[in-house]
């Protein structure tokens, strides 16, 4: 499967509004409110194969953000996090997956298409096998990125810390332009000209042994993988500074890498033709990648509480 490709061929069951239904029956009506206006929220999390069977990675953090995103958009998800965890596990078991990507989504269904309308709240959960977004080759050799002509919106326009459906039009435009120009990922700047994030990833720099990343002041989504990497880096003894990141900071960095649930931890080797550091995966990035991998497969006991076993 090529990097970034998605196939639903192995998915037989979908959870919708309290029950699992066959894939062919998991449908919504063309008049659904969210289809027209984008008012809905979603999450992306992974289930990893571990020595103790399939396990969800940081599912509590993902569902906390799911509910927070919904509150931002004045949507009340009619299920608790505990109920959603049970539903996610049921979907994975029904589909007999050992590892997969999981997409909970909350959207507004069909009743009225007035912009002030009150419509029924619907919740669905999809799961499918999906390799890392930028591929194993990207995780080892790094990816080529370009600064996007599209600017990341700020929180006075749309709340950047919410993971909402319509907001991803910004990312779709940015990554589409990058791919058209022969790059593997886009880098979006914020309204002040500082680096915000990739189309679906947060960014970290390494300079003289110090790790730098930005935060919600710079129009980013506060990633769950970002948070995990900050914890891992601190446990490895690195100082993690949070501040604005300029393009000059990035070009002068010894290493740079993206983090995200879909991408995991991916080095950046080049920005618009300029090589970052030695032009590949640096030693700090590799250390963090290795510990992250151990954390997801149950191989590091320090992070066992990040795992929720599907068959527990």
């Amino acid at each position: 499967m090529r990097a970034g490709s998605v196939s639903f061929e192995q998915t037989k069951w979908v959870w919708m509004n309290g029950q699992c239904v066959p894939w062919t029956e998991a449908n919504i009506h063309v008049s659904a409110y969210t289809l027209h206006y984008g008012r809905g929220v979603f999450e992306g999390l992974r289930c990893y194969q571990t020595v103790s069977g399939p396990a969800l990675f940081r599912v509590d953090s993902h569902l906390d953000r799911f509910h927070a995103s919904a509150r931002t958009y004045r949507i009340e998800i009619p299920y608790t996090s505990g109920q959603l965890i049970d539903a996610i596990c049921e979907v994975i078991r029904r589909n007999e997956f050992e590892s997969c990507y999981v997409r909970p989504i909350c959207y507004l269904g069909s009743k009225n298409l007035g912009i002030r309308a009150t419509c029924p709240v619907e919740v669905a959960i999809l799961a499918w096998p999906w390799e890392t977004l930028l591929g194993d080759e990207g995780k080892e050799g790094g990816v080529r990125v370009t600064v996007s002509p599209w600017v990341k919106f700020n929180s006075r326009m749309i709340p950047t810390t919410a993971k909402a459906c319509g907001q991803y039009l910004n990312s779709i435009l940015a990554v589409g332009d990058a791919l058209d120009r022969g790059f593997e990922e886009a880098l979006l700047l914020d309204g002040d000209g500082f680096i915000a994030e990739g189309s679906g990833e947060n960014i970290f720099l390494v300079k003289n042994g110090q790790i730098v990343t930005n935060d919600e002041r710079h129009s980013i989504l506060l990633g769950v993988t970002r948070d995990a990497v900050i914890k891992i880096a601190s446990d490895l003894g690195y100082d993690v500074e949070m501040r604005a990141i300029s393009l000059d900071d990035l070009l002068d960095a010894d290493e740079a890498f993206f983090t995200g649930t879909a991408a995991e931890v991916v080095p950046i080797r080049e920005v618009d033709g300029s090589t970052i550091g030695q032009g590949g995966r640096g030693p700090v990035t590799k250390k963090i990648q290795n510990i992250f991998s151990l954390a997801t497969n149950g191989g590091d006991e320090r992070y066992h509480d990040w795992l929720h076993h599907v068959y527990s």
Side-chain angles (χ1 to χ4, degrees), residues 224-266:
V224 174
T225 304
R226 169 187 177 273
D227 183 67
V229 164
I230 290 170
K231 169 64 174 168
I232 288 168
S234 297
D235 289 346
L236 286 169
Y238 293 105
D239 178 36
V240 181
E241 181 183 4
M242 296 185 197
R243 61 168 173 83
I245 300 173
S246 69
L247 276 173
D248 285 341
D249 291 332
L250 173 57
L251 295 173
D252 189 48
D254 300 325
E255 304 175 41
F257 59 90
F258 283 133
T259 64
T261 296
E264 299 180 321
V265 180
V266 179

Side-chain angles (χ1 to χ4, degrees), residues 38 180 197 298:
D180 286 347
E197 57 189 3

Side-chain angles (χ1 to χ4, degrees), residues 37-105:
Y37 300 122
R39 184 182 168 202
V41 298
F42 67 95
E43 270 301 318
L45 61 142
R46 283 192 181 272
C47 173
Y48 288 93
Q49 187 171 7
T50 76
V51 293
S52 302
L56 304 173
F57 184 68
R58 303 204 68 187
V59 63
D60 293 324
S61 296
H62 280 288
L63 293 180
D64 285 347
R65 188 173 64 181
F66 190 44
H67 280 95
S69 297
R71 288 193 296 271
T72 297
Y73 279 92
R74 302 175 183 269
I75 301 170
E76 184 176 349
I77 296 175
Y79 301 97
T80 66
S81 290
Q83 289 172 318
L84 291 172
I85 290 172
D86 289 343
I88 291 168
C89 291
E90 182 181 1
V91 167
I92 293 169
R93 290 194 298 263
R94 285 272 194 132
N95 285 294
E96 299 181 343
F97 292 148
E98 292 294 322
S99 63
C100 59
Y101 187 87
V102 181
R103 170 58 52 84
I105 183 168

Side-chain angles (χ1 to χ4, degrees), residues 7 29 47 121 129 169 212 224 247:
S7 173
H29 197 270
C47 173
V121 177
L169 286 171
V212 179
V224 174
L247 276 173

Side-chain angles (χ1 to χ4, degrees), residues 23-24 61 120 122 128 133 145 177 205 221 223:
W23 172 269
T24 54
S61 296
E122 313 273 352
W128 68 90
L133 177 66
V145 307
D177 168 78
L205 310 185
L221 180 70

Side-chain angles (χ1 to χ4, degrees), residues 7-311:
S7 173
F8 301 121
E9 293 175 0
Q10 297 179 56
T11 303
K12 306 303 181 187
W13 295 92
V14 177
W15 190 92
M16 291 190 74
N17 300 319
Q19 61 182 334
C20 276
V21 299
W23 172 269
T24 54
E25 296 177 18
N27 302 312
I28 65 170
H29 197 270
V30 70
S31 64
Y33 186 98
T34 298
L35 177 63
H36 293 259
Y37 300 122
R39 184 182 168 202
V41 298
F42 67 95
E43 270 301 318
L45 61 142
R46 283 192 181 272
C47 173
Y48 288 93
Q49 187 171 7
T50 76
V51 293
S52 302
L56 304 173
F57 184 68
R58 303 204 68 187
V59 63
D60 293 324
S61 296
H62 280 288
L63 293 180
D64 285 347
R65 188 173 64 181
F66 190 44
H67 280 95
S69 297
R71 288 193 296 271
T72 297
Y73 279 92
R74 302 175 183 269
I75 301 170
E76 184 176 349
I77 296 175
Y79 301 97
T80 66
S81 290
Q83 289 172 318
L84 291 172
I85 290 172
D86 289 343
I88 291 168
C89 291
E90 182 181 1
V91 167
I92 293 169
R93 290 194 298 263
R94 285 272 194 132
N95 285 294
E96 299 181 343
F97 292 148
E98 292 294 322
S99 63
C100 59
Y101 187 87
V102 181
R103 170 58 52 84
I105 183 168
C106 178
Y107 58 94
L108 301 180
S110 176
K111 184 177 179 182
N112 189 313
L113 282 179
I115 198 167
R116 300 177 179 84
T118 300
C119 294
V121 177
E122 313 273 352
V123 179
I125 299 168
L126 295 165
W128 68 90
W130 191 15
E131 300 301 325
T132 54
L133 177 66
L134 296 167
D136 289 338
E137 185 176 319
K139 287 173 68 175
E140 295 177 8
V143 293
R144 298 173 59 250
V145 307
T146 182
V147 177
S148 178
W150 297 98
V151 175
K152 180 67 187 285
F153 55 84
N154 67 53
S155 288
R156 290 174 297 171
M157 303 171 182
I158 296 175
T160 60
T161 55
K163 194 173 178 70
C165 299
Q167 296 179 194
Y168 276 75
L169 286 171
N170 190 217
S171 294
I172 290 167
L173 289 169
V175 77
D177 168 78
L179 295 174
D180 286 347
R181 294 193 285 117
F183 295 91
E184 292 151 311
E185 183 54 288
L187 192 64
L188 290 93
L189 306 183
D190 67 17
D192 295 319
F194 292 105
I195 292 172
E197 57 189 3
S199 68
E201 310 91 6
N202 297 122
I203 190 170
F204 288 78
L205 310 185
V206 182
K207 182 66 177 179
N208 297 327
Q210 183 182 48
I211 297 175
V212 179
T213 191
N214 51 15
D215 58 24
E216 66 271 20
R217 295 170 293 178
H218 307 288
S219 299
I220 72 167
L221 180 70
L222 295 173
V224 174
T225 304
R226 169 187 177 273
D227 183 67
V229 164
I230 290 170
K231 169 64 174 168
I232 288 168
S234 297
D235 289 346
L236 286 169
Y238 293 105
D239 178 36
V240 181
E241 181 183 4
M242 296 185 197
R243 61 168 173 83
I245 300 173
S246 69
L247 276 173
D248 285 341
D249 291 332
L250 173 57
L251 295 173
D252 189 48
D254 300 325
E255 304 175 41
F257 59 90
F258 283 133
T259 64
T261 296
E264 299 180 321
V265 180
V266 179
I268 301 169
R269 75 170 190 265
E270 180 186 307
V271 180
D272 285 319
S274 295
T275 301
I276 305 301
Q278 299 301 310
R281 178 174 58 185
V284 176
T285 304
K286 186 174 182 179
K287 285 180 185 178
I288 291 172
Q289 276 186 335
N290 289 341
I291 299 299
F292 181 80
S293 179
L294 288 172
T296 60
N297 67 27
D300 192 324
E301 63 182 14
R302 291 175 296 178
Y303 309 109
H304 280 182
D305 61 346
W306 285 351
L307 298 173
H308 180 95
H309 291 279
V310 170
Y311 289 92

